[in-house]
Amino acid sequence: MHEPHRFRSVRPDGRSGGSGRPNPPSRRSLLRSAAAGGLAAAGIVTGAPGAAAATSHVTGSKVRDLSGPALTGRFAAPWTDLGIPVRCPDGSMLFVCGDTFDGDGVGGPDWRSPVGLRSSNAAPGSLVVDGTVGGSRAVGLVPEGHTGGTTAIPSDVFTVGPTMYMHLMRGVIYETHHTDFWRSDDNGETWQYLCQWPGGLHGGQFQQKTYAVADDGYLYVLSTAFDRDVTSGLLLHRVRQDAPGNPAAYEPWGYAGGAWAWGNPPTTVTSPRRRGEICFRAMGGGYALTWLNMSPLDIRAQIFATPTSNLFTTAEQTMIVPTVPGRETGNAVASPYGGFIIPGSGVDDLHIVVSQWYDAQNYRVMQYRVNGLDGPAH
């Protein structure tokens, strides 16, 4: 890596929060305004994909809806988003969702977050929600009373051996108070609290975390601010796989004294920007990072060889582009966010979970298939 660019840091108060998901008192307006701003930035006025495409040969198509009244309404979860996919130790696939409602639309009764929707078949081509954590009613996975509009938004869920881990961002939207970390030893049915980090740590750039499980005994952790309106760096840490619940065990990667090294103060590993959701995974002998890019609005991927590869120069490949309702086709999605990698897919046939929200009855989790991504440069 070369010397990092200088950039405007995150606000010192660590002000941060949701990625456009519902939260009182303005659940609906927050994402609509974010989506509208992103569409305008991308030049989307007629529905033609206008976001800058880093690789024009990348194609995508919708596989299926994973949530909605006809699919998850029987579990009191017709309206939900995120759906971070994780393969459980028992072989099932758990989709860990964000703000979830029953009733007639977003903001309806029985607000829970996070919840777990389960597919007993974990093959990317056969995913169907046929169960939940909680049985006939999807329950909140951790205590969260939403007092004063707070919520618990998952940023990542992953499995190491027989244990699952979940990272949550807590507080009112754009006002993350802290993030916390949980574990499950029963396939996500129950969760035990492990630790937490203050929302202002590293200038707010340690709020939204995503973990790649490597084959060298480490977890590699990328993090950024949890606020679409803030220009944030992307920080890299590593932690032994037997110690992710110990904040003192996280070792930063940074640039100091003319060199990059573990143990230096953390330094952004790529160009600072406004990001939404992020997902970091070891895959196919290399690594993949996917994220919601805010300007222009699209969902992108970088594929690289090692956790410390130079992301300043790694190609950014556009997977999902924005459009307007009624003009969706191929990889063009109205009000897209998320972009979480589905376990079992690969660079040459990538499946991702994409969320959508543009009105009270169009708030869902979907599966998309992406082809044509370039593999890592070695």
Side-chain angles (χ1 to χ4, degrees):
M1 285 186 172
H2 56 76
E3 182 177 359
H5 299 304
R6 302 298 178 189
F7 66 99
R8 181 178 64 84
S9 63
V10 179
R11 290 185 294 269
D13 62 1
R15 179 178 173 270
S16 178
S19 297
R21 283 170 294 282
N23 205 347
S26 54
R27 301 187 189 103
R28 303 178 187 181
S29 61
L30 285 168
L31 183 57
R32 282 208 300 264
S33 62
L39 290 171
I44 304 300
V45 292
T46 64
T55 49
S56 58
H57 58 275
V58 175
T59 62
S61 59
K62 185 175 180 177
V63 178
R64 59 176 61 89
D65 286 335
L66 292 168
S67 72
L71 300 169
T72 54
R74 62 192 175 112
F75 301 116
W79 317 108
T80 192
D81 73 344
L82 296 184
I84 302 172
V86 57
R87 191 190 298 272
C88 302
D90 69 357
S92 65
M93 189 80 77
L94 192 68
F95 298 95
V96 176
C97 299
D99 291 314
T100 301
F101 304 90
D102 203 353
D104 295 330
V106 175
D110 201 9
W111 181 16
R112 292 144 285 155
S113 184
V115 304
L117 307 181
R118 194 181 301 278
S119 173
S120 57
N121 190 329
S126 303
L127 297 172
V128 176
V129 174
D130 53 13
T132 75
V133 176
S136 61
R137 173 184 171 272
V139 298
L141 301 182
V142 305
E144 172 54 63
H146 303 294
T147 303
T150 64
T151 192
I153 299 298
S155 74
D156 207 5
V157 188
F158 59 95
T159 299
V160 179
T163 302
M164 299 172 66
Y165 295 96
M166 176 172 62
H167 181 261
L168 300 175
M169 300 167 290
R170 311 296 290 263
V172 176
I173 196 166
Y174 296 126
E175 297 175 7
T176 295
H177 178 268
H178 69 278
T179 68
D180 51 29
F181 200 56
W182 300 71
R183 69 176 286 166
S184 173
D185 297 299
D186 57 6
N187 300 294
E189 291 295 312
T190 61
W191 294 86
Q192 296 79 47
Y193 170 84
L194 291 175
C195 65
Q196 68 178 256
W197 294 268
L201 185 62
H202 300 315
Q205 296 170 118
F206 206 55
Q207 293 171 346
Q208 187 170 201
K209 301 182 191 67
T210 179
Y211 292 71
V213 182
D215 60 6
D216 61 0
Y218 280 98
L219 301 168
Y220 292 92
V221 188
L222 287 173
S223 66
T224 191
F226 184 42
D227 189 336
R228 289 176 171 177
D229 293 330
V230 166
T231 298
S232 171
L234 189 71
L235 305 184
L236 174 65
H237 287 73
R238 68 180 182 182
V239 62
R240 296 289 307 180
Q241 291 180 12
D242 59 1
N246 177 9
Y250 285 66
E251 186 178 17
W253 174 255
Y255 185 86
W260 288 89
W262 293 109
N264 285 340
T267 309
T268 184
V269 297
T270 190
S271 307
R273 68 187 69 192
R274 294 163 52 218
R275 294 179 191 260
E277 292 73 30
I278 56 176
C279 180
F280 185 31
R281 295 291 183 260
M283 189 171 60
Y287 292 83
L289 168 66
T290 63
W291 75 95
L292 174 67
N293 198 71
M294 291 305 299
S295 183
L297 179 67
D298 51 34
I299 295 176
R300 300 185 180 189
Q302 286 180 295
I303 312 297
F304 42 97
T306 71
T308 57
S309 292
N310 188 344
L311 299 189
F312 287 96
T313 59
T314 299
E316 298 184 7
Q317 306 184 63
T318 301
M319 301 186 296
I320 301 293
V321 296
T323 187
V324 295
R327 294 178 182 255
E328 294 181 291
T329 184
N331 66 338
V333 181
S335 300
Y337 57 107
F340 301 100
I341 296 168
I342 294 177
S345 60
V347 173
D348 58 346
D349 184 22
L350 188 68
H351 290 252
I352 60 174
V353 173
V354 177
S355 290
Q356 178 180 62
W357 184 24
Y358 58 82
D359 64 30
Q361 280 75 44
N362 285 281
Y363 178 65
R364 61 178 58 89
V365 176
M366 306 173 291
Q367 178 183 354
Y368 272 77
R369 184 179 186 180
V370 179
N371 296 111
L373 290 170
D374 293 328
H378 292 275

